Amino acid sequence: MAAPSKYDTDWFTDADELGKKSGLGTRNTPAVDRAIALAEAFGKRPGGGMFKLLERQKIAKGLVKRLNEPNSFDQGSTWLCGIATFVRVWAFDHPVEFVTLAVDLFEKGKGKLVGHGKYGGKTITPSKELRDSPPAKLSNNDDFNHADWIVLASIREAFNDVFNYSADEGVFRIKAWNFPSDVEREFKAAGYTRVINKAANGVGGGGFQNFSEAADLYERDWRVILLINSRLLSAKPEDVASTGVLNTSNHWVGLNSSIVVNTFNNKALVYPFDVYSWNRIHTIPDWKKPIAFATLDVSYFGFVAGKF
């Protein structure tokens, strides 16, 4: 068993303690109520906005849904997973600021990613290319939720120093790539006063100590985003264990439950735990039985975490 990290001492626990912590914690109900009122008032105002192909009422409806159902953010078929996973926790922590950004983007053509009042945040000014772009498509070919599109796409573009963003993500989806440094910058811009980036851009697993640190931080109420290969979400054990020709990361998920690890015959076993991805909660592994850490680590590439 690895030595405990500097953040906590008790994440390694017996299997009968599974599920002792899950979700994002307690919400600020008055703030959520204010945010919903802002979204509903926005939806009732007349007129179009700076995003010519988005509809005011659809944005308002989408904002209210995301406030009521924090796990419903949906990146669809885009590569906006890092943005969606970050915005989910930011909107949970700062619902009024989340709605204000969406409203300002639509009505003024710019807004501010902000959270903690001590910090200035980051100004988000979408390009004309993005403002004129249709929303991307979901996997079933429906239109992207208009609230998701205006917020996720605008934040993605703001943290890309090279490309404008649009529904056309470019060759190899290069306009949508979300690196660990981008997620770190997003947390910092939103006023998370403590941010830890221990995610690897390159190939190879994240390692046992890295994984245990991510688990420790979640227990201490940090917002923890894991960098993985999406095969880790597969329902087939043979897919999870396979690396293919080149083992690389390609997906971000939000840690959503305690992680329990036991050691048998000097081999670490990870009990099923929950993550947010693609508009719902997934269990890793999908077959809901313990998985050898050595197998999981093939698809694990570290984490970025933030706390106010």
Side-chain angles (χ1 to χ4, degrees):
M1 181 181 297
S5 83
K6 62 183 178 181
Y7 298 100
D8 209 346
T9 59
D10 63 354
W11 82 285
F12 294 100
T13 180
D14 292 333
D16 59 7
E17 292 188 49
L18 272 168
K20 68 176 182 179
K21 183 176 187 295
S22 65
L24 296 175
T26 303
R27 304 185 75 185
N28 184 335
T29 302
V32 174
D33 291 342
R34 291 197 301 273
I36 289 175
L38 284 172
E40 290 177 342
F42 161 74
K44 293 176 182 177
R45 291 197 287 271
M50 301 298 292
F51 283 71
K52 304 302 182 183
L53 299 179
L54 300 186
E55 298 178 24
R56 178 186 293 271
Q57 288 74 24
K58 287 184 177 180
I59 294 172
K61 183 177 180 181
L63 291 172
V64 172
K65 180 177 177 64
R66 299 303 178 246
L67 292 167
N68 286 325
E69 302 174 33
N71 297 323
S72 64
F73 284 92
D74 192 355
Q75 73 185 68
S77 299
T78 69
W79 277 32
L80 292 173
C81 54
I83 305 297
T85 307
F86 162 74
V87 169
R88 167 183 173 256
V89 297
W90 171 63
F92 187 95
D93 290 334
H94 286 283
V96 173
E97 289 79 1
F98 161 64
V99 171
T100 300
L101 173 61
V103 170
D104 286 348
L105 288 171
F106 185 77
E107 293 188 335
K108 303 175 183 178
K110 68 178 180 178
K112 182 164 285 190
L113 172 61
V114 67
H116 197 293
K118 183 179 178 181
Y119 296 90
K122 180 177 178 62
T123 299
I124 309 294
T125 307
S127 66
K128 185 177 185 302
E129 180 182 355
L130 176 54
R131 289 187 282 108
D132 290 346
S133 172
K137 296 292 185 179
L138 300 178
S139 55
N140 62 2
N141 210 39
D142 285 346
D143 280 343
F144 220 83
N145 181 288
H146 284 208
D148 284 350
W149 180 251
I150 198 169
V151 173
L152 302 186
S154 295
I155 292 177
R156 168 60 287 180
E157 185 180 72
F159 285 90
N160 190 323
D161 299 325
V162 179
F163 300 108
N164 290 341
Y165 186 76
S166 67
D168 176 9
E169 295 185 325
V171 178
F172 303 121
R173 299 181 182 268
I174 194 169
K175 295 180 182 180
W177 290 357
N178 207 200
F179 295 104
S181 58
D182 295 327
V183 179
E184 178 183 356
R185 290 163 62 204
E186 290 153 19
F187 270 119
K188 289 179 177 179
Y192 289 79
T193 58
R194 288 171 284 176
V195 181
I196 297 174
N197 179 358
K198 292 194 175 181
N201 282 320
V203 299
F208 190 75
Q209 187 60 37
N210 182 294
F211 186 67
S212 69
E213 187 173 341
D216 287 341
L217 291 170
Y218 175 82
E219 293 293 339
R220 294 171 64 88
D221 297 324
W222 288 60
R223 302 314 192 192
V224 181
I225 297 178
L226 308 178
L227 182 59
I228 66 170
N229 186 289
S230 58
R231 63 173 170 263
L232 192 56
L233 301 176
S234 174
K236 299 179 180 179
E238 60 271 24
D239 290 345
V240 172
S242 174
T243 63
V245 177
L246 185 63
N247 185 30
T248 62
S249 60
N250 65 3
H251 193 50
W252 293 93
V253 297
L255 183 56
N256 202 65
S257 75
S258 297
I259 294 176
V260 177
V261 174
N262 276 336
T263 302
F264 299 94
N265 297 323
N266 295 318
K267 294 183 179 180
L269 287 179
V270 181
Y271 284 78
F273 62 96
D274 292 338
V275 298
Y276 155 81
S277 180
W278 282 306
N279 82 350
R280 66 183 180 90
I281 299 302
H282 299 252
T283 298
I284 295 175
D286 186 71
W287 54 94
K288 299 175 177 60
K289 292 182 180 180
I291 183 173
F293 175 75
T295 300
L296 182 150
D297 193 42
V298 169
S299 299
Y300 173 70
F301 297 82
F303 69 90
V304 178
K307 188 174 184 179
F308 285 109

